Amino acid sequence: GDPHDGFLAASEASAECVLQVRFVESATISDIGVLLGPIGGTITAGPSALGIVQVSFVDAASRDAAREVLAARSAIVDLISND
């Protein structure tokens, strides 16, 4: 049968609905959850060696709206990238 049994690994999330985000070192899990929850973001990979996490969204429109919210939160968000 299918090795994934109908599920995709988080690393296989659609690239068009993902942002790569690095939060400031002082950001807590609670801070990040409070920020991502209302904008529909879910951490699906990471953090990498550079501290970057992959944040996935249900669609590109949600991702684009979230990018604006994240960009405005420089006290918590250090870096945002589409890839």
Side-chain angles (χ1 to χ4, degrees):
D2 179 37
H4 296 299
D5 293 321
F7 293 92
L8 287 178
S11 59
E12 297 177 57
S14 175
E16 65 219 28
C17 301
V18 170
L19 291 173
Q20 305 299 323
V21 181
R22 184 171 62 213
F23 296 98
V24 298
E25 284 187 34
S26 60
T28 66
I29 295 295
S30 177
D31 293 336
I32 294 167
V34 166
L35 180 58
L36 294 181
I39 60 175
T42 304
I43 294 176
T44 50
S48 69
L50 298 175
I52 296 172
V53 296
Q54 175 179 286
V55 181
S56 296
F57 300 90
V58 295
D59 55 35
S62 297
R63 185 228 30 227
D64 293 344
R67 185 183 181 95
E68 291 184 24
V69 172
L70 292 170
R73 297 299 303 271
S74 60
I76 294 178
V77 178
D78 186 42
L79 173 78
I80 308 166
S81 174
N82 280 5
D83 45 35

